[in-house]
Amino acid sequence: MRRVNAESQRVTPAPGSLSRRLVVPGGILAAVVGAFAYVGSVDPNEPGHYPACPLLRYTGVYCPGCGGLRSAYAVVHGDLGTALGANAVAVLGYLVFAVVWTVWVVRSVRGRPVRVDPGPPLLWTTGALLLVFTVVRNLPFGGWLHP
């Protein structure tokens, strides 16, 4: 419930609702931190801990996510160079998540609605960049993008 401050005509959040507004972002952060903690404690570089990528196993083609667990493991251990070498797109995804989550929390604290509407141009551009990344990492000159 929102109230309008008659003096400034600004919309202010209802008192006592801050914790309720932060439940979902807090739960998402807890899940992500838990996942990173698990990956950080169980080394994906040692065989047998995680299932192999089915696309890589059956076709020999690196998907855009190949190396993502190794990248997360390196980020947890503070090795950004190794993380970028394992999967640069995943590192970019971690950064985008951190920015979007921070904006979400700030807007929630201020009592403003959070609306994520990327629109078709951003979605098509993201898809095209992932496709180019996938194709380049599977070509002979793209060996530096292999996990």
Side-chain angles (χ1 to χ4, degrees), residues 44-123:
N45 296 306
E46 295 180 20
H49 292 293
Y50 298 99
C53 173
L55 186 65
L56 181 61
R57 173 177 272 175
Y58 296 119
T59 66
V61 174
Y62 292 106
C63 75
C66 281
L69 286 175
R70 289 184 287 273
S71 175
Y73 180 83
V75 166
V76 168
H77 291 278
D79 190 357
L80 188 59
T82 302
L84 287 168
N87 192 326
V89 170
V91 174
L92 180 63
Y94 308 149
L95 180 62
V96 168
F97 171 80
V99 168
V100 169
W101 185 87
T102 302
V103 169
W104 183 12
V105 168
V106 168
R107 290 187 66 84
S108 294
V109 166
R110 293 181 178 170
R112 295 186 176 143
V114 179
R115 181 178 168 180
V116 178
D117 187 15
L122 181 61
L123 293 175

Side-chain angles (χ1 to χ4, degrees), residues 126-139 145:
T126 302
L129 289 175
L130 283 174
L131 180 65
V132 167
F133 174 74
T134 304
V135 170
V136 169
R137 81 185 315 199
N138 285 290
L139 293 174
L145 291 174

